[in-house]
Amino acid sequence: MERTFHMLLYRAFHAQRNYLRSYLGEVGLEVGQPKLLGYLFFHGPCRQSQLAGYFDIDSAAVSRMLDSLERSGLILRKADENNRRCNQVQLTDRGRQAYEVWLERCRETEEVMLQGFTPQEQAQFADFLSRAYQNFRKEREKEE
C-alpha cells in the first residue's frame, strides 16, 4: 500500500469511523450527528448556519440531521429572539446525556488510537492535524 499522506490520513480516518460506528446505535445517533451535538455541548445554542459553517457542510444536510435529532428529542429549535427568521438550536437534557456517553466512547477510541504514543508525540500529532486543517482553510479562503 502506498504511504502517501492522503492515503495514511484516509485509512486512519476510516478506521476510526468504523471503530466508533458500533457505538452510534448505543447512543441512538446516526452518522454525522455526534459532531452537531458536540458543537452544541461545548458552544451552547446557535443558529443552523453556524453549524454548517463550522463543519464546512451544506445547510440542507445540517437541516436533515437536525430534523432527525429533534424527532429523537435530542435538540430543540426555538425562534431566535434577535431575528425571527432564524432558529436557535439547543441541546435537550437527553441530548446532553447522549453526547456525554458519546464523548466517553470517543475517549476510549483515542486511547486505542494513541497506544504507544508519548504525551509529547500526542501533542505534536494534534498540532500537525490542526496545522494541516488550517492550511486547507487558508487555501479555500484564497479561492473565495
Side-chain angles (χ1 to χ4, degrees):
M1 177 61 71
E2 62 182 288
R3 289 185 47 90
T4 60
F5 281 108
H6 80 274
M7 187 56 71
L8 292 169
L9 188 58
Y10 170 79
R11 292 187 75 208
F13 166 74
H14 192 71
Q16 179 211 26
R17 186 179 61 190
N18 285 339
Y19 195 90
L20 280 170
R21 186 171 281 163
S22 64
Y23 298 125
L24 285 171
E26 172 188 339
V27 183
L29 298 174
E30 299 171 12
V31 173
Q33 292 178 336
K35 65 182 169 229
L36 300 181
L37 293 183
Y39 185 91
L40 296 169
F41 185 86
F42 290 108
H43 298 278
C46 70
R47 292 182 180 165
Q48 178 177 321
S49 60
Q50 286 173 267
L51 292 167
Y54 184 81
F55 291 109
D56 292 325
I57 54 179
D58 184 84
S59 289
V62 171
S63 182
R64 286 188 299 273
M65 285 188 271
L66 292 176
D67 287 344
S68 179
L69 288 168
E70 190 172 32
R71 282 191 302 273
S72 299
L74 301 173
I75 62 139
L76 287 175
R77 290 189 234 196
K78 294 184 177 181
D80 187 329
E81 295 173 3
N82 299 321
N83 183 347
R84 290 180 177 231
R85 291 177 293 164
C86 298
N87 286 324
Q88 284 280 328
V89 181
Q90 66 184 53
L91 281 179
T92 62
D93 289 338
R94 184 174 172 192
R96 183 171 300 285
Q97 291 169 355
Y99 189 72
E100 286 171 348
V101 172
W102 179 256
L103 198 53
E104 183 56 33
R105 298 301 175 257
C106 289
R107 286 184 187 114
E108 293 167 6
T109 301
E110 286 179 11
E111 286 178 22
V112 169
M113 179 179 69
L114 297 172
Q115 288 177 18
F117 285 69
T118 67
Q120 180 183 3
E121 289 171 328
Q122 291 179 31
Q124 284 179 312
F125 188 34
D127 183 56
F128 294 156
L129 290 173
S130 294
R131 287 170 40 199
Y133 174 75
Q134 290 305 318
N135 288 342
F136 281 123
R137 293 287 298 180
K138 287 177 193 172
E139 194 63 29
R140 188 177 213 192
E141 288 172 7
K142 285 183 198 176
E143 295 172 2
E144 292 175 352

